[in-house]
Amino acid sequence: MSSNDTLARLAAVIESRRGGDPERSYVARLFAKGTDAMLKKVGEEATEVVMAGKDGQPDKLVAEVADLWFHTMVVLAAHGLKPAHVLAELERREGLSGLEEFALRKARDREQTESGDA
């Protein structure tokens, strides 16, 4: 079983609970609260990842990253996206240095801005 399978299964669970009862499902509660609440939760979890990374406790860091990934997947689902979209983007970047990828993204953004102004 691969990590892709795990992410796909989790995404399916998130989607299945999307319209559920907020009193019985944490995921349903997040969806009921809306995108701003979901994004706030992602911010909180990201901060907890930073703090766990500074504390140097590997188990806590792994747990906090898992929380961050989960809440990020809820945000993806809210936008009609799946982990496969993120994995495809990571695969697209594979073999590029971070600096090359950043330069390509910057050039692409500049082209979009220039074509939008015309």
Side-chain angles (χ1 to χ4, degrees):
M1 185 152 335
S2 75
S3 58
N4 290 358
D5 295 335
T6 302
L7 293 174
R9 281 194 316 276
L10 179 55
V13 169
I14 290 169
E15 196 58 44
S16 74
R17 295 185 182 165
R18 181 181 200 147
D21 180 358
E23 296 298 317
R24 298 186 57 163
S25 167
Y26 177 68
V27 172
R29 187 176 308 157
L30 287 171
F31 276 102
K33 288 182 178 182
T35 305
D36 285 348
M38 292 176 202
L39 294 171
K40 181 179 177 189
K41 192 64 183 168
V42 167
E44 290 170 7
E45 296 300 341
T47 299
E48 290 174 8
V49 167
V50 171
M51 291 173 12
K54 290 180 81 58
D55 290 344
Q57 298 175 355
D59 291 346
K60 182 152 175 79
L61 180 57
V62 167
E64 295 300 345
V65 169
D67 289 347
L68 177 60
W69 285 14
F70 170 81
H71 288 90
T72 302
M73 288 178 64
V74 171
V75 171
L76 285 171
H79 291 279
L81 298 168
K82 298 186 180 309
H85 292 101
V86 177
L87 293 171
E89 176 62 11
L90 290 171
E91 288 171 7
R92 183 192 68 76
R93 295 179 185 187
E94 193 173 359
L96 285 177
S97 79
L99 296 176
E100 287 174 313
E101 201 285 323
F102 180 74
L104 289 171
R105 198 173 344 144
K106 202 169 179 181
R108 195 170 35 243
D109 290 347
R110 188 172 41 250
E111 287 173 11
Q112 287 176 347
T113 300
E114 290 171 359
S115 67
D117 292 338

